Amino acid sequence: MQTETKNRKSGFYIEVTCPGCGSGLELNEDFFVLKCDHCGSVHRVVMPDVPTAYFVPAKIDRREARFSIDRYLKKNDLPLTASGMALKQVYYPYWKVDAILFKLRNKAYERVVVAESEYNDPVSVTHERTEINLTPYIATCAAGSYFDGVPASIGMRAEYIRMLPYSVENLQEDFDSLPIVTTWEDVRADLKTKMGIISDVDPASFGKNVTELFHPKASLVYFPFLVFESYTQGGFNRYVVDGVSGRVLDHVRQLDTDRQADYPESPDIEFGALSVEHHRCPNCGLDLPPEQSWVYICHNCQQLVVIGGNDGIVDQVFRATGSDLPGDRAFPFWAFTIPDEDARRVKAMFGGVHNSNQLVIPAFKTRNFDAMYRLARRISPALPRLEMEAVENFDDSYDPVRISLDEALMLADVIIYRQSYSSPRRAQESAATFAPRGVKLIYVPFHLENYFYVDSLLNAVTFEKSLAR
């Protein structure tokens, strides 16, 4: 996840016209609901099922790029550029991968124990410890043919550089987009190989280390480069300039003709198109609140609206009752009913203390997966001790649902897999996809005590204040 800074937007902007008045709209990547500043209507961005393509607009022109090259040559005591250099302006495609990284490391630590008696020698004791971490994984890798001087990755820049939805009509003039030769299936297979190599590079003190990616999500990013080439008496020179920063990335004096000649056939890859629709109640047609949430209750007709094609799966919202503290803040959780055939296995993995038939996943956004995992372990066995009542309306004390039902199912997979490695039996067969028997959205009241939120009913479940945005 990423840090937030004031007066700066990160990720792509969606530049479309408002369906209501035709004025321009902008949307940051972290949000999918927006309100038109001109007419006040509320809209929702609909993401496609297939990978979405974006492009990064170039910020420098030919003159600025030539200046950067001359500055680079002067710094390296090389002759400045002459006239007659050919310019290619290209958009090179990269696959952007977002996933959850699971890392298990078996380590042995030695500790020297000194006996109280001066006649006994110190004794070295070895302790075995298994460390498990869940972290966000973000990477970019080349999707186009090999191009001398163009980097194989743009690193983390795809997380904060301004991007626009890709279409040929939207590209800047005199820029050509290079074809894609690497499929998403190729990238997934390569990532799986790399994860295995990472585990082997760091040898385990006992057992075996594990590195795996969960639920990788793909998108395409076209990045701008200005490529200058010249053939002079001094030989061939190619300068590759970053189209955003203007930095000279590479000075190529000899092309790798073997790799340049190997142009595989471009596969047929379908891009996803973003669309914008009115953010309205499907029952009465009134605008829904302009807050970022996957679940709404219409203030006009009390219709429950679940975004993401999951209408009907959740037909009611519940809240734990019994607390009326003035500082209560109701946090949302997805509660999944564990199928009978999985109940014994899941309870055994949680050490037998998981007496509930529910696996509960926080429905509020956080980038700290380990803290989310600990909270899920605490709230799941506590759920049977809470009495619930139906919720008819959301007021200001209710936090929005920032984790979709699909994402919560994915997190349940990750939690069960992580717990399987934490249990003594190491039941790795639990990696199979979790299929709950039922699902409910519940709210539990918490109040703030110093640096922690404490549940207002049992005073038993806590989580760090920083976990809730």
Side-chain angles (χ1 to χ4, degrees), residues 77-300:
D77 296 325
L78 296 171
L80 301 183
T81 58
S83 59
M85 292 185 71
L87 170 63
K88 300 177 184 177
Q89 298 181 107
V90 299
Y91 278 108
Y92 189 85
Y94 294 90
W95 283 107
K96 179 176 179 286
V97 183
D98 293 90
I100 295 178
L101 180 64
F102 174 89
K103 290 176 65 177
L104 179 146
R105 296 294 180 264
N106 292 312
K107 299 181 178 181
Y109 297 90
E110 288 193 4
R111 185 166 62 94
V112 177
V113 179
V114 180
E116 293 183 2
S117 173
E118 60 179 324
Y119 300 105
N120 294 328
D121 295 329
V123 178
S124 179
V125 179
T126 301
H127 294 275
E128 295 182 348
R129 188 168 70 184
T130 298
E131 298 177 353
I132 300 176
N133 292 300
L134 294 170
T135 55
Y137 178 87
I138 302 165
T140 54
C141 59
S145 295
Y146 175 77
F147 193 116
D148 267 314
V150 169
S153 169
I154 54 174
M156 295 289 291
R157 299 181 70 185
E159 281 295 285
Y160 58 83
I161 291 180
R162 180 174 181 262
M163 293 192 281
L164 302 172
Y166 175 89
S167 70
V168 176
E169 296 77 16
N170 288 342
L171 298 182
Q172 293 161 290
E173 290 186 7
D174 301 323
F175 271 84
D176 296 318
S177 56
L178 299 186
I180 297 168
V181 300
T182 305
T183 66
W184 172 231
E185 289 72 23
D186 295 333
V187 174
R188 292 187 67 157
D190 185 55
L191 284 172
K192 187 174 182 179
T193 302
K194 287 180 178 177
M195 294 302 109
I197 293 173
I198 291 174
S199 298
D200 294 338
V201 167
D202 185 13
S205 302
F206 61 96
K208 183 181 180 181
N209 287 343
V210 179
T211 307
E212 290 192 25
L213 286 183
F214 270 86
H215 298 270
K217 183 177 66 174
S219 56
L220 281 164
V221 177
Y222 285 83
F223 195 88
F225 297 98
L226 283 77
V227 182
F228 290 84
E229 294 179 345
S230 66
Y231 292 88
T232 64
Q233 293 181 350
F236 172 77
N237 289 281
R238 171 186 285 177
Y239 304 95
V240 179
V241 180
D242 185 311
V244 176
S245 68
R247 187 166 61 92
V248 177
L249 300 176
D250 202 354
H251 178 194
V252 180
R253 293 179 175 86
Q254 184 174 354
L255 297 177
D256 188 341
T257 54
D258 291 337
R259 298 186 66 179
Q260 289 284 125
D262 184 20
Y263 286 105
E265 184 177 348
S266 180
D268 184 18
I269 295 178
E270 181 184 1
F271 297 163
L274 302 171
S275 60
V276 177
E277 63 182 32
H278 289 290
H279 187 54
R280 292 173 176 169
C281 172
N283 185 50
C284 68
L286 261 64
D287 281 348
L288 294 170
E291 66 181 359
Q292 310 301 321
S293 181
W294 289 94
V295 178
Y296 302 86
I297 296 179
C298 177
H299 293 298
N300 182 58

Side-chain angles (χ1 to χ4, degrees), residues 413-454:
D413 280 342
V414 176
I415 285 175
I416 293 175
Y417 189 70
R418 185 199 193 284
Q419 189 60 30
S420 72
Y421 274 100
S422 302
S423 64
R425 295 182 180 180
R426 298 283 176 88
Q428 286 86 6
E429 68 273 8
S430 64
T433 301
F434 176 61
R437 197 176 65 211
V439 57
K440 292 190 295 186
L441 178 66
I442 62 172
Y443 277 86
V444 179
F446 285 77
H447 61 275
L448 194 59
E449 291 187 5
N450 297 320
Y451 299 104
F452 295 91
Y453 277 103
V454 182

